[in-house]
């Protein structure tokens, strides 16, 4: 699978002329069992035939326009290789025992607990929990939820907030299930404790100012500079990674996903996509 860019180690090997006669790159259509039904299913799974993921995992193409977003040497400087992340998986089969399977506690020195949900539609949802201590964010737990309704997922989130005395709940609201979970959350939690994320939406990041540095007022209201949430979020992640403000036990899934985030230009906008095969985080933001 060509889920790499030409700058990654696998990409360097792929493009090395010395390996030219050693590499066979075939699309899934080469499999005689791959029919039109399978093609349509993959198209739906990967977000269309023009999506980078479809081109990579079905057509076997290398997305040359993709540029690795994160410097993995600087990212991995945050890792504690001696510890493994504590992870839990909840499915419909064990849902009725989730409060027994998930074992979590709030660290005594925690200043704030952040619970964030990357909510999937066809794929599972990923929940991560961080504890803030002295402006450093400690990665505590990862949960994966499979084949659960928005009500069932929110029930687990609500239980986690209670167990951990959570301070901030962030929800990926790009798709319908995430939006439904957020609507449930805003009925019982103050908005100051909730974070809505949708990568294609814009947020205010600063005031617009004139050449003298004064805030521009339009119709009696200050004018704001805006950015896409996805672009702001990636820039913020770089700050946290590169300033070593994340304390991360080893999580191979996270490492693979972060290393496989690429950026591409779409008109005047930068878009991002995770081209890792595992983890199912393939949507463009």
């Amino acid at each position: 699978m060509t889920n790499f860019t030409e700058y990654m180690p696998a990409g360097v090997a792929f493009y090395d002329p010395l390996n030219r006669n050693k590499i066979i790159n075939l699309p899934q259509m080469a499999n005689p069992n791959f029919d039109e039904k399978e093609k349509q299913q993959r198209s739906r799974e990967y977000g269309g035939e023009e999506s980078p993921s479809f081109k990579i995992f079905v057509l076997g193409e290398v997305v040359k326009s993709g540029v690795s977003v994160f410097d993995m040497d600087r990212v991995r400087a945050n890792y504690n290789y001696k510890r493994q992340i504590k992870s839990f998986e909840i499915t419909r089969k064990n849902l009725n025992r989730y409060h027994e399977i998930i074992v979590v506690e709030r660290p005594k020195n925690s200043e704030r607990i952040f619970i964030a949900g990357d909510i999937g539609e066809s794929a599972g949802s990923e929940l991560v929990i961080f504890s803030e201590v002295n402006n450093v964010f400690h990665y505590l737990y990862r949960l994966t939820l499979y084949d659960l309704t928005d009500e069932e997922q929110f029930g687990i989130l609500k239980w986690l907030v209670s167990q951990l005395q959570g301070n901030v709940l962030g929800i990926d609201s790009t798709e319908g299930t995430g939006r439904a979970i957020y609507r449930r959350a805003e009925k019982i939690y103050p908005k100051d404790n909730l974070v809505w994320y949708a990568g294609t939406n814009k947020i205010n990041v600063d005031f617009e100012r004139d050449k003298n540095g004064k805030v521009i007022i339009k119709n009696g209201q200050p004018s704001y500079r805006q950015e896409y949430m996805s672009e702001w979020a990636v820039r913020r992640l770089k700050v946290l990674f590169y300033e070593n403000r994340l304390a991360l036990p080893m999580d191979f899934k996270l490492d693979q996903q972060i290393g496989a985030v690429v950026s591409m230009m779409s008109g005047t906008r930068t878009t991002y996509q995770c081209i890792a095969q595992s983890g199912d985080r393939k949507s463009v933001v």
Side-chain angles (χ1 to χ4, degrees):
M1 290 167 293
T2 55
N3 55 333
F4 50 78
T5 72
E6 56 190 311
Y7 307 103
M8 295 178 180
V12 172
F14 184 88
Y15 285 105
D16 189 336
L18 296 177
N19 294 330
R20 199 169 183 180
N21 296 325
K22 303 176 183 178
I23 296 173
I24 299 176
N25 185 25
L26 298 174
Q28 287 195 21
M29 290 77 167
N31 185 335
N33 295 320
F34 190 92
D35 55 16
E36 184 62 27
K37 182 179 179 181
E38 184 75 11
K39 180 181 177 182
Q40 293 302 319
Q41 181 179 335
R42 292 288 177 263
S43 178
R44 289 192 297 272
E45 179 182 352
Y46 294 124
E49 294 183 27
E50 293 302 314
S51 71
S53 289
F54 185 89
K55 292 179 179 179
I56 290 167
F57 297 113
V58 178
L59 302 181
E61 296 180 8
V62 177
V63 182
K64 294 184 179 180
S65 60
V67 178
S68 299
V69 171
F70 297 102
D71 180 337
M72 290 306 294
D73 288 335
R74 300 180 74 179
V75 169
R76 288 169 179 152
N78 296 270
Y79 292 1
N80 180 350
Y81 289 95
K82 295 180 180 179
R83 294 182 57 234
Q84 294 280 336
I85 187 62
K86 294 180 180 178
S87 61
F88 310 94
E89 292 187 355
I90 302 298
T91 67
R92 287 185 178 180
K93 292 182 178 180
N94 62 14
L95 176 62
N96 62 336
R97 299 188 297 109
Y98 78 82
H99 57 283
E100 300 172 2
I101 296 170
I102 303 171
V103 181
V104 296
E105 63 178 349
R106 181 183 178 116
K108 293 181 180 179
N109 64 341
S110 178
E111 297 165 9
R112 290 193 295 175
I113 290 288
F114 294 79
I115 303 171
D118 185 4
I119 309 302
E121 291 284 344
S122 58
S125 295
E126 299 273 11
L127 310 181
V128 293
I129 299 168
F130 283 82
S131 170
E132 183 183 9
V133 181
N134 295 326
N135 210 27
V136 174
F137 298 89
H138 297 256
Y139 183 25
L140 302 180
Y141 308 104
R142 171 168 54 79
L143 292 80
T144 308
L145 313 181
Y146 293 108
D147 299 321
L148 303 185
T149 66
D150 65 274
E151 182 178 5
E152 291 165 340
Q153 292 184 60
F154 178 69
I156 293 174
L157 279 166
K158 184 179 176 182
W159 181 82
L160 288 170
V161 170
S162 175
Q163 290 292 112
L164 295 164
Q165 301 173 50
N167 303 100
V168 179
L169 177 60
I171 302 294
D172 172 14
S173 303
T174 304
E175 297 177 323
T177 301
R179 291 192 291 272
I181 291 172
Y182 187 89
R183 286 194 296 270
R184 292 179 183 276
E186 65 182 352
K187 290 179 181 179
I188 62 175
Y189 300 122
K191 285 200 172 183
D192 288 346
N193 299 94
L194 298 175
V195 176
W196 163 291
Y197 176 83
T200 55
N201 287 7
K202 288 187 173 183
I203 55 172
N204 298 330
V205 296
D206 198 358
F207 294 108
E208 286 192 335
R209 301 176 185 274
D210 60 24
K211 60 182 180 180
N212 297 317
K214 293 184 178 180
V215 176
I216 297 174
I217 303 297
K218 294 180 181 179
N219 300 321
Q221 299 293 327
S223 181
Y224 294 95
R225 292 177 56 193
Q226 293 187 319
E227 289 186 16
Y228 287 103
M229 284 190 183
S230 59
E231 295 182 29
W232 183 91
V234 167
R235 191 170 67 251
R236 176 62 176 167
L237 270 176
K238 285 184 177 181
V239 169
L240 295 175
F241 277 127
Y242 299 169
E243 293 183 357
N244 297 114
R245 292 174 55 192
L246 293 167
L248 307 175
M250 194 59 215
D251 184 344
F252 293 100
K253 191 174 186 179
L254 175 67
D255 181 74
Q256 184 182 31
Q257 291 173 352
I258 292 295
V261 175
V262 297
S263 65
M264 290 161 281
M265 291 303 299
S266 177
T268 59
R269 183 188 163 211
T270 303
T271 62
Y272 304 94
Q273 184 160 24
C274 176
I275 57 174
Q277 174 70 354
S278 66
D280 303 311
R281 299 296 135 209
K282 304 182 180 72
S283 58
V284 175
V285 294

